[in-house]
Amino acid sequence: NLKESALSADELSTFTRGLAANKVMLLFDTCKSGAATQALQRLAMSRGLDERKIIARIAREHGIAVFSAASVSQEAFEIKALRHDSFTYCLVAALGGNPDSIAEDGVITAARLLARVNRDTRETALQYLKVEQTPIVYIFGDDFGIGSAR
């Protein structure tokens, strides 16, 4: 029952504003999850110019990265041979693999991790399923570290 189990864009926005963390990375691994990323972008850009400037300053200080496994119109398929869908498989592989490939000066950054998972997700979906899967990445504010490569 989608209406009872899903979050609206407003609920998601309220949730992220209520977090105490300075840096937030949201990962949506669902079919058509690009809609959530687009909704967050629209909310951020629908403000007046003065409010957008304040939001931009806060984003630089805090930062939010949003990654959706598929575009607004695409499915996020389970790959039986991998026992995951392509996004989860590629995320786990990136985090468990060579940390230097997703690190900058020894720090794993949100942008580098998400860029790697984005590329690998596309390749994995094509290889195993012969379908296009287009993850959506949105980073509001500056890139930020999420861990150490050492």
Side-chain angles (χ1 to χ4, degrees):
N1 187 341
L2 191 59
K3 288 187 180 192
E4 291 181 17
S5 64
L7 290 175
S8 70
D10 288 336
E11 290 170 318
L12 187 57
S13 179
T14 299
F15 169 76
T16 57
R17 280 193 303 258
L19 295 173
N22 285 332
K23 309 290 184 188
V24 176
M25 186 162 63
L26 301 173
L27 306 169
F28 297 104
D29 189 7
T30 64
C31 297
K32 302 176 178 147
S33 56
T37 304
Q38 286 182 350
L40 288 172
Q41 285 176 309
R42 276 194 307 275
L43 281 172
M45 299 329 268
S46 68
R47 313 295 180 167
L49 182 59
D50 289 338
E51 193 173 356
R52 280 200 315 257
K53 287 179 184 177
I54 293 168
I55 291 170
R57 192 182 106 242
I58 292 169
R60 277 193 306 277
E61 294 169 3
H62 297 280
I64 185 167
V66 183
F67 188 96
S68 300
S71 74
V72 174
S73 62
Q74 292 175 329
E75 306 299 318
F77 294 103
E78 177 93 11
I79 301 172
K80 291 190 191 309
L82 301 178
R83 300 179 62 195
H84 291 290
D85 68 17
S86 56
F87 169 77
T88 297
Y89 177 81
C90 294
L91 177 64
V92 170
L95 290 171
N98 177 5
D100 290 330
S101 68
I102 54 173
E104 184 174 313
D105 297 328
V107 176
I108 298 170
T109 68
R112 288 180 65 101
L113 172 65
L114 297 180
R116 168 77 180 274
V117 174
N118 187 329
R119 184 192 73 227
D120 291 353
T121 298
R122 290 169 188 258
E123 291 172 1
T124 301
L126 278 173
Q127 177 186 352
Y128 282 88
L129 302 170
K130 308 293 186 250
V131 298
E132 285 194 27
Q133 184 172 337
T134 309
I136 307 296
V137 177
Y138 176 63
I139 297 179
F140 194 70
D142 294 334
D143 189 17
F144 53 90
I146 59 169
S148 173
R150 301 193 191 342

